[in-house]
Amino acid sequence: MARSPSIHVAVVGAGIVGAAAAHFLAAAGARVTLLDASGPAAGATGASDGAVSVASKRPGPMMDLARHARAFYGQCETDGLLRGLFHRRSTFLVARTALEAELVAQHGADLAAAGERVLDVDRPALLSRIPGLGDGVCFALEIPDDGHALGYEVTERLLQRSSVTVRRNAPVSEIVMRAGQAVGVAIRGEMVPADAVLVAAGIGSAGLLALGDILIPRKGQMIVTDRASAGRPAIDGHLMAASYLAAKRGIVRDNAHIGLVIDPLVTGQFLIGGSREDHCADQATDARTVAAILRDALDLYPPLRERRVLRTFAGVRTASCDGLPIVGPHPHLKGVMIATGFEGDGICLGPFMGASAARMILGEAPGIDLSLLAPRRFARAEALA
Amino acid sequence: MTDLPVLVVGGGPAGAAAAVTMAEAGLRVLVVEQRDRLGGAIHRQPVAGARQVWKGPARHQRNWAELAERVERAAGRIELRTSTVFLGVDGEGRFLFDDRVAGRVFARPVRAAVVAVGAVERIRPFEGWELPGVMSAGGAQVLLKETGQPPEGAIVVAGSGPLLLAVSAQLARAGNPPLAVLERGRPWRSPRALARLMTAGPQLGEAISYAAALAAKAVPYHAGSEVLSVRETGEGLEIRMRIGGSDRLLQARHLLIHDGLEPNRAGIPLPAPEANIPVFHAGDGREILGADAAILDGRRAAAAVLASLGRAAPVALLEARLSKARDFQLALSDALHSPAALPSPETLLCRCEGRRYADFAALPADASAREIRLMGRFGLGVCQGRFCGPMIAELRGEPLPLSSPPRWPLRPVSVAALAKFSTDETES
Amino acid sequence: MNPCFYWIDRPVSFRPGETIAAALLRAGIADLGPDRGAARARVFCGIGACQACVVAVAGEGPVEACLTPARAGLRLGPQPGLGLRHD
């Protein structure tokens, strides 16, 4: 990256995307102030599963992006930046009905067409990998090249290994413009001057940039159990039910729908998700939804009956109205870059997209063509007019 | 709405007093208690066939007998659910309970709630406090009441507070006097606080009877003394301690520790009398004032519930007596106060997640509550911060901010039991 | 003769109404395992708050030994610990 030692960038939002952008900007020589209304990983980044998964992505640009983003994790793990935080781990796509089997098979074909390795696993092989798996599982595919990383750990590492100034409890109320050019951000009457501003504030971006019609909060309720094993994942892969694919592929759009994933954490605990509740921006969880998730999880993986629920929590994903992330320069506000709308894919895409946003701020081309994600696609909409 | 019950969580003195006061005023009451009978930690009864080693002060027995009888008389208005754990209030406003016998979580609509879940013990951590053989003094006391048998083998009691004296005396009467009792505080350094304590009749009498029990068995009581660290040897525990100015090693099978009491409040919604369904705290779960005051405080909470329902309920007399109990507790904490010392880097703060003081010290000074939880993993474990929370509050000089919204479950709950929850089965 | 439950494979007798914790301690079992790793389980607070005495129950969710009445025939054992990772 070109050295631009004089440039000062204000990054709004210390989630995984903002932290990655801040890290790579600072690494390229920029002066960076990272501001968050609360603190690092306080939003969806700290309230999500850690799937760095291509297996879950919708065919098309999202699947391709996810492949680049996962490869970027691998590269950051090798070069030391994310050493110890990114683990390769299989995803198992599992079906419990004939209809679901069809969906999983179709999704497998789409993944293979995108260049992803897809392995058939028969039931005996599956049971040897995941002992105790429910009787109802009739078909499964293994996606062996997926991975796992915890969003808050990645965020912390990115900030530790950089000279970024982090300001906690710093809610940005306004981007300060002068002569059509961003000159800083305002926090409680204080002006933080900057040559460029990156807005990576998740659902908070909606208020800051008047994107209320474009960004949709989508709450997800999740459950963490106690340990099933000591200091290592309890099962050899991430279980992703066809119901999750159905939601991701847009086949079901029902606020009561559960897209089930059972995520074995390196602590030996399970993280089980989750609901997809559109237009819900609160972080409350309810027994009705949690019990429904658990019933589905017990059906898929009965050994969970020997576990206890330690915590329930909810994260608010930020979805865009057309289902694609929003990454690129603001069409009208000069010096303002946007990186949000990653929905449930922020942990997977975050480091790569943050690095790409950093390059764009420095006037360089991102690693791959991101024009599909450019905010200007909404330019006709009221909000960005 | 008017025939919905008032919920009382906890069947100790405060909960029982709140329940009978409201039932006698004509309200329906639902009492949930995690154990299989009422009484709380203070009135834990021996199991069948066990001898009762220690009945406790006569007035405690009288008070409890009277409450138990009133519960009995009001049985028509009090529904008692034992072996049932309160799990908190979910995002849709449901009060949730874990029925440990049926293995099922259920919800019940209530019109108000009194939460009287008592105290948890404060622990000042030192290297090795997490080892098997180390037990809280209060935990050992509960087991002694229940089984009638002291633990076998040599015992050391250490920490701070009047409970050390009580437990040690009970162990002595049960036939296994401790090798030594170590009180961190130096009460003679606060003559004024001591003088204030001397005016408290019943508590003073109790303390004298405990001291007599210890003296009868020649149990050494060392003030200004503390445990520095513990390690395991083949036979048990090797306890390094400072007695007066000098370090000593002592071998024992059991080390009982205790550094005062803390309201057991982790994650429980704060009282919000203006809320739709008001929640009031009572007893040691609200403020550590002891068993006598807990009964008064249960009545005070009941009066607050009645007032929130538009019923006159005078509390002035109760408040005056509670304030006397508060004076006593303040004098006690003045008398036993000892400055906090930083633990060694290797000292475990969070037993659940294996997090040490060094891990805490490595967090940024301005770390948010979320960072302390996620990066530090403090408060994330199975006890949900009930033990490391107070430790961290003392180290930080300010309490850990509460998570918002309040979390449920307040206690870990079986996956199978929670999966059985259904809105169709909501009892009314 | 008193009824018994099993700690790993060892029969532990209990008096009706007694908690699992009380019976284990009377039998001299203070270390509730596991054998390896940090922070082994043990009875500590006696009132269900510290969760340090949680034991695994075959076929069911784990329970606090200090709160749970012992039942004849229960098969109990240590919960998975923290492992050897020091992180």
Side-chain angles (χ1 to χ4, degrees), chain B residues 198-422:
Chain B
M198 293 303 168
T199 64
Q203 288 92 345
L204 188 66
E206 253 175 82
I208 289 170
S209 82
Y210 295 144
L214 292 184
K217 301 281 167 139
V219 175
Y221 179 86
H222 305 284
S225 304
E226 62 188 337
V227 169
L228 302 173
S229 65
V230 183
R231 63 184 196 92
E232 278 178 307
T233 63
E235 297 88 75
L237 301 172
E238 182 189 77
I239 307 168
R240 198 160 63 84
M241 50 185 74
R242 181 164 298 147
I243 293 182
S246 55
D247 288 9
R248 272 174 50 188
L249 280 181
L250 212 56
Q251 305 287 331
R253 280 279 301 281
H254 307 277
L255 171 61
L256 311 185
I257 58 175
H258 168 94
D259 288 276
L261 296 167
E262 188 84 27
N264 178 13
R265 209 181 255 177
I268 297 173
L270 288 171
E274 74 285 0
N276 215 1
I277 299 171
V279 176
F280 300 93
H281 290 267
D284 279 354
R286 184 185 68 79
E287 181 182 4
I288 304 298
L289 295 176
D292 296 331
I295 295 175
L296 303 174
D297 205 42
R299 287 165 56 192
R300 189 202 49 78
V305 169
L306 288 163
S308 76
L309 301 174
R311 306 263 299 264
V315 291
L317 204 65
L318 291 174
E319 295 290 1
R321 291 171 68 191
L322 285 170
S323 144
K324 242 186 115 180
R326 187 170 300 125
D327 289 344
F328 175 77
Q329 292 296 329
L330 283 173
L332 196 60
S333 72
D334 280 355
L336 296 179
H337 174 78
S338 61
L342 287 190
S344 71
E346 279 304 297
T347 300
L348 211 61
L349 296 189
C350 162
R351 195 208 72 92
C352 308
E353 292 291 311
R355 304 298 282 173
R356 294 170 197 278
Y357 177 66
D359 300 315
F360 174 76
L363 291 169
D366 60 347
S368 65
R370 184 117 182 187
E371 285 170 277
I372 292 173
R373 287 171 65 86
L374 289 181
M375 292 318 306
R377 297 192 73 77
F378 295 107
L380 265 193
V382 274
C383 91
Q384 302 178 330
R386 284 177 180 83
F387 284 80
C388 67
M391 292 176 197
I392 286 173
E394 190 168 88
L395 292 167
R396 263 166 61 107
E398 56 179 297
L400 273 178
L402 292 170
S403 65
S404 166
R407 298 265 164 127
W408 71 277
L410 294 174
R411 290 257 294 270
V413 53
S414 139
V415 165
L418 185 46
K420 284 188 192 134
F421 172 81
S422 150

Side-chain angles (χ1 to χ4, degrees), chain A:
Chain A
M1 286 184 195
R3 302 278 142 180
S4 315
S6 60
I7 189 174
H8 178 211
V9 184
V11 178
V12 186
I16 191 167
V17 178
H23 173 91
F24 290 107
L25 281 165
R31 211 152 55 78
V32 185
T33 304
L34 178 61
L35 307 120
D36 196 279
S38 169
T45 297
S48 53
D49 69 30
V52 179
S53 171
V54 171
S56 64
K57 299 298 176 281
R58 206 162 58 244
M62 288 306 280
M63 209 177 257
D64 297 332
L65 263 179
R67 284 171 55 79
H68 284 284
R70 192 185 58 194
F72 188 69
Y73 262 104
Q75 188 187 318
C76 292
E77 147 77 15
T78 312
D79 72 19
L81 176 60
L82 297 181
R83 183 151 302 149
L85 300 188
F86 172 67
H87 310 272
R88 198 213 59 76
R89 172 185 88 174
S90 289
T91 299
F92 291 97
L93 303 175
V94 294
R96 284 172 281 176
T97 64
L99 199 66
E100 286 187 356
E102 235 173 86
L103 173 64
V104 168
Q106 176 60 51
H107 196 72
D110 293 336
L111 283 165
E116 186 70 10
R117 282 205 297 155
V118 178
L119 310 177
D120 286 325
V121 259
D122 58 13
R123 197 169 158 88
L126 197 58
L127 278 174
S128 76
R129 300 286 294 279
I130 307 186
L133 195 70
D135 295 337
V137 175
C138 59
F139 181 70
L141 292 175
E142 179 181 3
I143 315 304
D145 297 321
D146 265 352
H148 183 258
L150 285 173
Y152 56 85
E153 288 188 351
V154 172
T155 302
E156 191 209 27
R157 177 70 63 80
L158 289 166
L159 296 178
Q160 260 174 7
R161 304 259 175 108
S162 74
S163 57
V164 172
T165 303
V166 181
R167 289 193 52 180
R168 294 167 171 82
N169 303 312
V172 172
S173 56
E174 190 192 338
I175 298 172
V176 183
M177 304 294 299
R178 198 167 296 150
Q181 164 74 38
V183 292
V185 296
I187 308 159
R188 296 194 189 97
E190 176 201 351
M191 150 93 165
V192 177
D195 305 305
V197 177
L198 171 64
V199 179
I203 202 66
S205 314
L208 204 53
L209 294 171
L211 300 180
D213 293 338
I214 290 170
L215 296 177
I216 303 158
R218 181 171 292 154
K219 179 165 99 171
Q221 300 189 37
M222 278 164 283
I223 296 136
V224 178
T225 72
D226 58 0
R227 287 171 164 78
S229 63
R232 59 181 171 76
I235 55 175
D236 183 22
H238 181 209
L239 290 176
M240 188 174 288
S243 58
Y244 186 82
L245 295 179
K248 289 290 251 190
R249 292 175 70 110
I251 296 169
V252 284
R253 295 186 184 280
D254 170 4
N255 254 18
H257 182 76
I258 306 285
L260 180 66
V261 292
I262 300 176
D263 189 348
L265 303 175
V266 291
T267 54
Q269 297 169 283
F270 288 102
L271 196 160
I272 305 169
S275 64
R276 307 174 70 81
E277 301 164 63
D278 280 355
H279 304 290
C280 291
D282 67 274
Q283 291 184 298
T285 60
D286 63 86
R288 188 175 48 85
T289 305
V290 167
I293 295 170
L294 290 178
R295 281 192 288 273
D296 198 17
L298 280 169
D299 178 70
L300 180 58
Y301 184 60
L304 287 172
R305 68 177 174 264
E306 296 194 2
R307 300 273 59 81
R308 297 192 302 168
V309 172
L310 292 195
R311 287 190 299 286
T312 64
F313 64 97
V316 179
R317 315 168 179 100
T318 304
S320 77
C321 57
D322 68 358
L324 285 178
I326 305 173
V327 182
H330 192 287
H332 308 300
L333 306 178
K334 262 186 75 184
V336 177
M337 190 71 66
I338 308 175
T340 187
F342 296 98
E343 215 262 314
D345 300 322
I347 305 307
C348 175
L349 301 180
F352 180 66
M353 299 312 289
S356 301
R359 294 176 71 115
M360 287 193 263
I361 289 168
L362 296 171
E364 301 169 27
I368 61 167
D369 179 14
L370 295 178
S371 55
L372 269 175
L373 309 186
R376 87 176 78 86
R377 70 185 190 271
F378 299 111
R380 266 195 227 131
E382 191 77 9
L384 288 177

Side-chain angles (χ1 to χ4, degrees), chain B residues 100 134 149 232 355, chain C residues 26 40 42 64 86-87:
Chain B
R100 293 287 183 95
V134 182
Q149 277 173 273
E232 278 178 307
R355 304 298 282 173
Chain C
R26 279 198 304 110
R40 283 163 291 153
R42 45 88 194 255
E64 300 93 344
H86 180 71
D87 58 354

